[in-house]
Amino acid sequence: MNLLENLAQSGPLLRGAASRGNFRVLRSMLGPAFRGLVQQRGRHESRTQMALGYSALFDWQYRRTEPQLARLYEAAKASQWNATQDLDWSVSVDPEDTDRPIVPDSFMPIAKYPGYQRLDAREKARQRHLVLAWMLSQFLHGEQGALFAACQVTEAVPWLDAKLYGSTQVVDEGRHVETFHRYLTEKLEKLYEINDNLYVIIDALMSDARWDLKFLGMQIMIEGLALGAFGHLRQHTQEPLLRKLLTYVITDEARHVHYGVLAVQKFYETELNERERREREDWAFEVSLLLRDRFLAHEYYEEQWAHAMSRAEWDRYMLESESMALFRNTMFKRIVPNLKRIGLLSERVRPRYDAAGLLQYEDGRAAPELTAQDLIEDR
Ligand SMILES: [Fe+2]
Ligand SMILES: [Fe+2]
């Protein structure tokens, strides 16, 4: 059943890309979509092996040519934190506290669903707990992807300053995996499997041979999604340990997106021809649509609500909910100005972004103009 539903669900994505003439994007996505949506590897395997086909690049001259990246590297070394010492893990967290909810009802995408509204206070608290666990589980899986992507781009990027910076990101992402995993296991005691669509995107950028696409997909788009999600959650929770750890993580992620924008911008300005640039443009647009429409908590739905409503009904509640609208807003506020900055919002694709409701974000500030504090406070 899942398999059929997933196939049907991937229909609009594939049809959409085909009707827009994005055949190259389609081709690069077919393998990942098959492994993610049909085989559901991230859910049916306890370990997934991915064959990678990119090239590492050694630099024997060690020239320091990129002062902005060098500054970012210095900032990263000065901002390291230790999750075991700098966070107070002794605080007790009751994720089902009915008096002090770990996230408010307004955070729940199904807050308006009558079946949810009918639940008693204890059951609502349990559902809030599960939704939070679903979200943090996706953060954890995304962080594992970010850890590997950071390793890959560190090897592949051509400039020494970018490699040095990348080495700090590897440590950052390792710490994020550690932190989210610990919070999930010690405080929430619940871990969900990876969302199929998150798997597709991670698989696509891990297995692609083009290093700049890894930067584009991970550093700019998924990290943009993550910054949006972390900011959204931090605004909604009063749980002090979670707020503190999100503050630390957001500060790191701010550097990562900045790094992605600097590296990709330089590469696109100096080394890409027009056809290659258009390919990236199409890819970024299709991934934007995936991010907009496809993170619908199906793993939580299947466990808790599949008996009560169809998946189509669920999707409608999710897509129309205020909480999701807020989340999409924070996310695209972080992504679209960066796409513009790196030159992927040309006249050719602007109408598509406009039709998808995403062009309204284009005049926001790109990563180089944002401080960590801006991101923490969601400015
Ligand atoms: Fe991270
Ligand atoms: Fe990151």
Side-chain angles (χ1 to χ4, degrees), residues 143 146 169 172-173 176 218-219 223 249 252-253 256-257:
E143 294 291 358
Q169 188 179 334
D172 290 350
E173 305 295 12
H176 299 172
M218 184 51 83
Q219 305 287 124
E223 302 258 12
V249 172
D252 291 345
E253 301 299 356
H256 304 170
V257 183

Side-chain angles (χ1 to χ4, degrees), residues 195-263:
N195 173 273
D196 295 333
N197 290 295
L198 180 57
Y199 178 93
V200 173
I201 299 180
I202 290 179
D203 183 314
L205 59 93
M206 288 295 294
S207 51
D208 204 291
R210 298 166 288 187
W211 67 262
D212 69 286
L213 217 78
K214 299 174 194 293
F215 261 106
L216 177 59
M218 184 51 83
Q219 305 287 124
I220 295 177
M221 308 202 67
I222 301 228
E223 302 258 12
L225 164 92
L227 271 174
F230 297 158
H232 178 66
L233 176 56
R234 193 181 167 282
Q235 277 182 351
H236 281 85
T237 186
Q238 294 304 320
E239 200 285 282
L241 173 58
L242 186 54
R243 281 179 68 86
K244 184 86 190 275
L245 77 82
L246 286 169
T247 305
Y248 274 129
V249 172
I250 290 171
T251 309
D252 291 345
E253 301 299 356
R255 288 192 303 272
H256 304 170
V257 183
H258 193 166
Y259 170 47
V261 169
L262 291 177

